């Protein structure tokens, strides 16, 4: 254990491990120190200065977030000079900030607004600097809106994009009064190396970075009597949505979410988990086929390892930064897009509804899904496969707008036909989940036996470690897969693009070798996605992860190939995994992109 | 005349052709003795902040780490300062000798001269000097190499931690302190960073001993110092003067006879109005009576034809542009100060608005992340408080 340091804060004694900060010591005493640039996911910046406190004996105030504790330190967090300074700093931030709060998308959930309200900044007579600035508003990306007039230059987004996502699509440009957060050559967000992951959004304290919302479009569709509106909900939404209604993080609200969607007027409330199960069938088969081609046929063109392709942020990252690996990506569309393609074909046929009358909406923990739905490749049904993508947050807004008291709803069940799923599908929402689901099915196909893990819980692929490695030895396979006898299937999992970059670099340098790699763009996987409720933190993601695995454990079916609706769709419509129809509707291709 | 003449000193620019012997001799002295000499001399950082040089070397020497660095801060950017350029032109070997001895004391093998971008023309001359110096070091048995790193023109990169960030290829933004460079400096390694002039003074101490240096100056302000004299003076230029003089003595020697105020320490320094000339000293700590101002050596004289509003407006405009922009009090504070005094001058804001701005500069002094933002208050407060009527009318 590290050395304990004794100090006092507002006269109260506290002792805390060496190397901790004044902010952490105050937290221990339940003393709140306001912060803006500080975020638990990010390295310390110490640049907003709202967390300044008085250190007795020092002429300057010190930033609580950036100052390590030392023995005998005496801190005052609420002295006159601290209050006056803090108020000044909030006033200064407001003078550069376009404070049209009532018209702001983040009205009510803005950290600056909260502070201004707390400190009652009602009579600031500093000069309004906003009209003097040439602020840009960029809404050209289908995922992210960047409004410089709302930016307080805390650089949380810059650190997020650099430290968590290794992209640095957002960077600091210029200095002094011209200093701003910008993209390469100030290009719009849709024209730079941005993965659309939305991590910048969930780390932005104000309305400077928000999702492009499609709330009105969806309301319009719901109000149109000629449209049949179907909705699919991603696995991670059900473990996050509750947070928008003040439940604890990690509460599972699947049934209430379904009930709310029905009340909103969706004609059919379906589940992306269904198409997650389908993804396992297609992707698992693709993996085994690749292994056969590589190991038996000696086909040099077959690329291994195979990478998962569920995460559109990860896809765009590969397209920009490792385009030479595009052939390693599974050709499977993401579950959202498989669902979309089937909604306007299989579903339309079964329900005898003309495809042009179907509006397909998805609720995703993700902003990159908005970009994905708009990709030109994603129109295999003859229409745009997914019309509108809502984030978890947008769904919460709609529920509130509709006057639905979410917490008092009775639980409801998904509708039939693409509404049924297994535990293997729900774990797609956590890092390692796709891997686990794929192994549960693939191992059984190959050996005829269940994976050799208690309760089907493949623990080595679970958890929040940045890069995980696991291997599974294949013994006594069934006749079709005899060539895999004794093969040790090597897998790796990474989440967050910084980790992905590390994994890719090792791969490229020949430092590691795998057969199958799962990568999710966001930390923790989809449960920590850029469309999830704000705030986010390592603890919150951990809670959501526990909820995901609890949801899996509670499902009667735990393996994708046992989903009866999956069996049915192959029988009635798709024929077989990687079959002709699958190939047309469920698989795609990728586009190399420039870094700049 | 009966008037007290300032004691001019001629140590720094004295051409010493015995520098090889000084270097060799110094490298033979045990580290501890050198540190003691430096501490006893009373030499403090000549960049303006005034940290004791011997202590800095000692702390870096004590820091753990295989790799350590010596950096010479030659990013001379304070408005009204032009002494370092002259040192590097005339006696670069003194600076290099200082770096070599610091390297020995701290245990560093690599040194950098962070040269102001606008001083690019000095590069060929310095490189020639560095080449010669490398041979001497080798002869003297010291494994130490020096390289020039050219800045790109940002004022903030003269701040030591921003300077290191910029050397590491990042944006020149000051770091949080602690930790200080003596522990975590360039590339995260313990680093001695000294101003050009400071290093040149160490040569004097190495050559003549601590006593000769200590005999100059007063109390906590020991030795001589280079002053860059500009403004309303018939004799602008660089002068080496003993520390501890009063502004009055300085004005008697340098003004055009009509001096109404002196800006000590450049834009980030203080304005001293005529009524305070006699009680203000130039040095580091306060004397028993009177005010004492530390300085990087810029002395700007203003005569009665100058508008102090224009002077302040000019400084603030400079800060507004040269702030790195990362911390709120400095980035937005500077903009508010410029726009604020201009609004008062135009009559768009009442004169009492100046008091709000004065309070704002207090906040900037207490909360800004680095010396730049903290020291904007110096010129603002000293000018507004002493020349309030010039701000309004």
């Amino acid at each position: 254990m590290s050395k304990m340091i004794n100090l006092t804060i507002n006269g109260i004694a506290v002792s805390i491990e060496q190397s901790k900060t004044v902010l952490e010591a105050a937290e221990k005493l339940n003393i709140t120190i306001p912060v803006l640039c500080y975020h638990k996911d990010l390295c310390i910046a110490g640049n907003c200065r709202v967390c300044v406190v008085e250190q007795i004996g020092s002429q300057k105030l010190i930033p609580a977030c950036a100052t390590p504790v030392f023995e005998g330190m005496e801190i005052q967090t609420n002295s006159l000079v601290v209050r006056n300074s803090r108020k000044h700093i909030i006033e200064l931030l407001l003078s550069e900030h376009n404070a049209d709060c009532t018209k702001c998308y983040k009205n009510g959930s803005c950290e600056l607004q909260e502070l201004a309200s707390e400190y009652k900044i009602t009579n600031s007579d500093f000069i309004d600097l906003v009209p003097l600035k040439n602020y840009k508003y960029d809404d050209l990306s289908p995922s992210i809106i960047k409004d410089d007039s709302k930016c307080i230059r805390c650089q949380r987004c810059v650190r997020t994009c650099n430290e968590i996502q290794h992209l640095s699509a957002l960077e600091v440009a210029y200095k002094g009064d011209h200093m701003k957060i910008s993209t390469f050559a100030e290009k719009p967000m849709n024209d730079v190396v941005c993965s659309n992951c939305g991590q910048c959004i969930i780390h932005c304290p104000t309305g400077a970075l928000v999702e492009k919302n499609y709330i009105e479009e969806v309301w319009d569709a719901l109000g149109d009597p000629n449209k049949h509106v179907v909705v699919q909900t991603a696995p991670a939404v059900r473990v996050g949505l509750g947070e928008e209604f003040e439940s604890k993080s990690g509460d599972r609200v699947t049934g209430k979410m379904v009930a709310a969607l029905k009340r909103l007027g969706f004609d059919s409330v379906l589940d992306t988990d269904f198409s997650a199960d389908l993804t396992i069938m297609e992707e698992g088969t693709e993996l085994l086929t690749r292994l056969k081609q590589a190991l038996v046929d000696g086909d040099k063109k077959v690329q291994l390892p195979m990478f998962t392709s569920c995460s559109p942020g990860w896809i765009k990252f590969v397209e920009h930064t490792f385009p030479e690996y595009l052939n390693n990506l599974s050709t499977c569309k993401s579950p959202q897009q498989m669902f979309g393609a089937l909604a306007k074909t299989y579903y339309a046929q079964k329900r005898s509804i003309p495809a042009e009358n179907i509006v397909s909406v998805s609720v995703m923990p993700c902003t990159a899904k908005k970009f994905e739905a708009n990709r030109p490749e994603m129109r295999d049904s003859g229409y745009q496969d997914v019309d509108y993508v809502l984030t978890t947050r947008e769904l919460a807004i709609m529920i509130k707008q509709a006057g639905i008291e979410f917490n008092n709803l009775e639980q409801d069940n998904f509708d039939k036909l693409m509404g049924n799923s297994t535990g293997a599908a729900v774990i797609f929402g956590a890092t390692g989940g796709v891997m686990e689901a794929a192994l549960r099915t693939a191992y059984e196909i190959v050996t005829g036996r269940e994976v050799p893990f208690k309760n089907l819980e493949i623990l080595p692929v679970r958890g929040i470690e940045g890069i995980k490695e696991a291997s599974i030895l294949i013994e006594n396979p069934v006749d079709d897969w005899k060539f895999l006898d004794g093969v040790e299937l090597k897998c790796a999992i990474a989440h967050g693009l910084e980790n992905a970059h590390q994994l890719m670099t090792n791969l490229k340098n020949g430092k590691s070798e795998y057969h199958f790699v799962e990568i999710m763009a966001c930390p923790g996987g989809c449960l920590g996605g850029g469309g999830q409720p704000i705030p986010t933190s390592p603890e919150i993601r951990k809670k959501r992860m526990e909820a995901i695995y609890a949801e899996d454990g509670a499902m009667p079916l735990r393996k994708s190939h046992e989903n009866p609706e999956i069996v049915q769709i192959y029988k009635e419509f798709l024929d077989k995994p990687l079959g002709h129809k699958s190939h047309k509707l469920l698989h795609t291709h990728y586009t190399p992109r420039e870094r700049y | 005349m009966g008037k007290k003449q300032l004691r001019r000193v001629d140590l720094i620019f004295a051409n010493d052709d015995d520098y090889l012997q000084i270097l060799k001799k110094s490298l033979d002295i045990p580290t501890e003795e050198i540190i003691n000499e430096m501490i006893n001399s009373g030499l403090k950082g000549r960049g303006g902040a005034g940290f004791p040089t011997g202590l800095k070397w000692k702390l870096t020497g004590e820091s753990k780490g295989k790799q350590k660095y010596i950096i010479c801060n030659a990013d001379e950017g304070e408005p009204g300062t032009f002494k370092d350029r002259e040192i590097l032109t005339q006696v670069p070997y003194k600076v290099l000798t200082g770096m070599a001895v610091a390297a020995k004391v701290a245990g560093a093998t690599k040194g950098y001269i962070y040269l102001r971008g606008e001083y690019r023309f000095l590069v060929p001359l310095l490189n020639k000097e560095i080449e010669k110096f490398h041979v001497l070091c080798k002869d003297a048995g010291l494994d130490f190499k020096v390289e020039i790193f050219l800045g790109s023109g940002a004022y903030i990169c003269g701040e030591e931690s921003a300077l290191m960030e910029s050397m590491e290829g990042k944006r020149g933004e000051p770091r949080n302190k602690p930790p200080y460079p003596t522990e975590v400096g360039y590339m995260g390694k313990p680093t001695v960073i000294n101003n050009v002039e400071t290093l040149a003074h160490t040569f004097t101490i190495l050559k003549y001993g601590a006593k000769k240096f200590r005999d100059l100056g007063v109390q906590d302000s020991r030795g001589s110092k280079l002053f860059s004299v500009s403004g309303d003076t018939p004799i602008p230029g660089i002068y080496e003067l003993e520390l501890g003089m009063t502004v009055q003595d300085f004005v008697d020697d340098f003004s055009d006879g009509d001096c109404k105020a002196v800006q000590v320490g450049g834009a980030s320094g203080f304005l001293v109005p005529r009524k305070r000339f006699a009680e203000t000293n130039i040095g580091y700590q306060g004397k028993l009576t009177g005010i004492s101002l530390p300085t990087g050596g810029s002395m700007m004289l203003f005569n009665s034809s100058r508008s102090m509003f224009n002077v302040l407006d000019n400084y603030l405009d400079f800060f507004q542009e040269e702030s790195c922009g990362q911390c709120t009090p400095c980035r937005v504070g500077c903009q508010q100060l410029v726009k604020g005094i201009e609004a008062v001058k135009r009559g768009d804001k009442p004169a009492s608005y100046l008091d709000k701005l004065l309070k704002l500069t207090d906040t900037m002094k207490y909360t800004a992340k680095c010396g730049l933002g903290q020291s904007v208050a110096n010129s603002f407060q000293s000018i507004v408080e002493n020349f309030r009527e010039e701000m309004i009318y």
Side-chain angles (χ1 to χ4, degrees), chain A residues 331-581:
Chain A
T331 58
C332 288
K333 287 182 184 173
S334 72
Q336 163 179 276
Q337 293 307 137
M338 285 197 183
F339 189 101
L342 292 173
K344 294 190 180 179
T345 52
Y346 173 65
Y347 177 89
Q349 280 171 32
K350 293 276 282 185
R351 299 285 298 264
S352 307
I353 301 165
E356 66 261 32
N357 287 349
I358 292 181
V359 176
S360 157
V361 176
S362 72
V363 185
M364 294 285 140
C366 182
T367 51
K369 291 280 173 197
K370 293 172 188 273
F371 170 82
E372 186 187 40
N374 279 291
R375 289 177 78 116
E377 304 91 284
M378 300 298 170
R379 307 176 68 89
D380 289 328
S381 64
Y383 305 89
Q384 180 164 326
D385 295 337
V386 176
D387 293 291
Y388 304 114
V389 179
L390 301 172
T391 58
T392 310
R393 295 187 295 269
E394 288 164 78
L395 174 59
I397 293 169
M398 291 183 71
I399 293 171
K400 286 171 192 166
Q401 286 176 349
I404 297 167
E405 286 195 21
F406 186 81
N407 290 324
N408 297 328
L409 286 173
E410 292 288 327
Q411 308 213 4
D412 206 337
N413 293 317
F414 285 107
D415 290 318
K416 292 290 165 230
L417 195 61
M418 300 177 30
N420 204 350
S421 67
T422 70
V426 77
I427 57 175
F428 266 56
T431 166
V434 176
M435 178 64 65
E436 181 167 348
L439 290 178
R440 283 184 195 172
T441 289
Y443 188 88
E444 201 164 318
I445 291 177
V446 169
T447 65
R449 305 183 301 274
E450 282 192 341
V451 279
F453 289 91
K454 196 181 157 208
N455 290 332
L456 301 174
E457 290 171 3
I458 309 180
L459 296 179
V461 303
R462 295 187 180 185
I464 50 163
E465 216 178 307
I467 298 176
K468 289 165 282 190
E469 288 178 326
S471 63
I472 189 162
L473 183 66
I474 297 174
E475 287 172 305
N476 300 323
V478 296
D479 287 348
D480 281 357
W481 305 99
K482 268 284 179 253
F483 69 95
L484 285 175
D485 198 8
V487 169
E488 194 182 15
L489 190 68
K490 287 185 188 156
C491 309
I493 298 133
H495 57 113
L497 295 174
E498 172 60 41
N499 293 322
H501 177 263
Q502 236 175 65
L503 187 146
M504 292 300 288
T505 309
N506 287 343
L507 211 55
K508 209 172 164 173
N509 296 339
K511 281 189 191 158
S512 47
E513 215 175 289
Y514 310 110
H515 296 109
F516 188 33
V517 176
E518 178 210 291
I519 296 184
M520 295 293 159
C522 290
C526 305
L527 57 89
Q532 287 284 67
I534 302 170
T536 186
S537 73
E539 296 84 60
I540 291 173
R541 291 196 291 274
K542 194 166 155 256
K543 292 267 189 261
R544 292 179 190 159
M545 189 175 285
E546 286 163 10
I548 286 265
Y549 288 114
E551 188 89 355
D552 167 37
M555 296 291 273
L557 297 173
R558 310 274 308 287
K559 294 174 284 187
S560 296
H561 55 279
E562 289 177 353
N563 182 340
E565 285 194 340
I566 294 292
V567 176
Q568 185 190 6
I569 196 173
Y570 277 113
K571 209 165 119 198
E572 294 178 357
F573 186 71
L574 291 171
D575 185 26
K576 60 175 188 193
L578 299 188
H580 177 67
K581 247 192 187 140

Side-chain angles (χ1 to χ4, degrees), chain A residues 44-49 52 59-63 66-68 81 84-86 88-93 95-96 123-129 132-133 152-153 155 171-179, chain B residues 153-156 171 173 176-179 319-333 335-336 339-341 343 349 353 356-357 359-370 374:
Chain A
I44 303 291
N47 61 28
C48 76
R49 315 307 276 184
V52 286
Q59 287 176 340
K60 317 271 183 232
L61 300 181
I62 56 164
T67 309
V81 59
N84 287 340
S85 300
R86 208 173 268 163
H88 259 152
I89 287 163
I90 300 167
E91 274 185 80
L92 289 178
L93 286 171
S95 76
E96 253 191 342
N123 54 356
S124 174
D125 56 356
F126 279 130
I127 292 164
D128 183 9
L129 300 171
L132 308 172
K133 308 256 175 187
I152 57 167
R153 286 99 168 146
Q155 301 188 33
E171 263 296 350
V172 181
Y174 309 108
K175 62 182 165 54
D177 50 336
H178 299 291
M179 183 267 208
Chain B
Y155 170 73
I156 189 60
R171 248 180 92 80
E173 289 184 346
N176 289 305
K177 286 171 239 170
F319 285 127
Q320 152 176 283
E321 190 178 320
E322 292 298 340
S323 162
C324 76
Q326 69 162 323
C327 86
T328 313
C330 179
R331 180 189 68 248
V332 197
Q335 296 173 61
Q336 287 294 347
K339 312 287 186 283
I341 63 163
K349 288 272 186 194
Y353 190 67
K356 170 146 187 160
L357 295 180
K359 281 190 194 145
L360 172 61
T361 54
D362 270 338
T363 295
M364 291 169 70
K365 190 162 71 182
Y366 299 142
T367 64
K369 189 167 180 175
C370 79
Q374 291 162 6

